[in-house]
Amino acid sequence: MTVGVQGGAREPATGIGRFQFPALVIGLVGLLASVFAWFVDPTAFFRAWLPSYIFWFSIVAGSLAVLMLQYVTGGEWGLMVRRPLGAAARTMGLMVILFIPIVLGMKQIYPWANPAWHGFQEVQHLKGQWLNPSRF
């Protein structure tokens, strides 16, 4: 959507376009820092990745839940937020991809997933059905 034509060039309807490139640069710098941290200290990387993932996943899952609730109940109460909620819910595929480091670092994040852990046998005996990486 354009507001007007100024000298043949179209102006964007909102000012959000000017933040796209700086956000991309910041995201790439963060990605490079994450890759560097993965090689320097994998345990710290995986333990920092988990709460970050949970935070962003909760936003995506909450958006999806509210969107489904709006569609089930109907009415006009959710018409204004339907598009932003749908946009947030469409990132669920990205969240599946971002879950891969948690699977790869399960032994660093959860002590019960590592057979070398000193309490592994006891925990495995008591809670073997639940605390089993292959079942997880």
Side-chain angles (χ1 to χ4, degrees), residues 27-120:
L28 289 176
V29 168
L31 181 64
L32 290 174
S34 295
V35 169
F36 178 73
W38 187 340
F39 288 114
V40 172
D41 190 2
T43 303
F45 167 78
F46 289 124
R47 289 186 179 172
W49 187 272
L50 181 63
S52 303
Y53 178 82
I54 290 172
F55 172 77
W56 291 108
F57 181 77
S58 65
I59 293 174
V60 173
S63 297
L64 182 61
V66 172
L67 183 65
M68 289 189 300
L69 180 69
Q70 198 279 324
Y71 275 113
V72 168
T73 60
E76 296 181 15
W77 66 268
L79 293 178
M80 295 302 291
V81 295
R82 188 182 290 176
R83 297 262 186 214
L85 291 175
R90 279 190 294 273
T91 61
M92 188 63 80
L94 179 63
M95 297 309 293
V96 170
I97 293 170
L98 293 175
F99 188 72
I100 294 172
I102 294 173
V103 173
L104 295 176
M106 191 177 298
K107 291 181 181 178
Q108 284 90 3
I109 298 171
Y110 304 109
W112 49 262
N114 189 358
W117 182 50
H118 63 85
F120 179 76

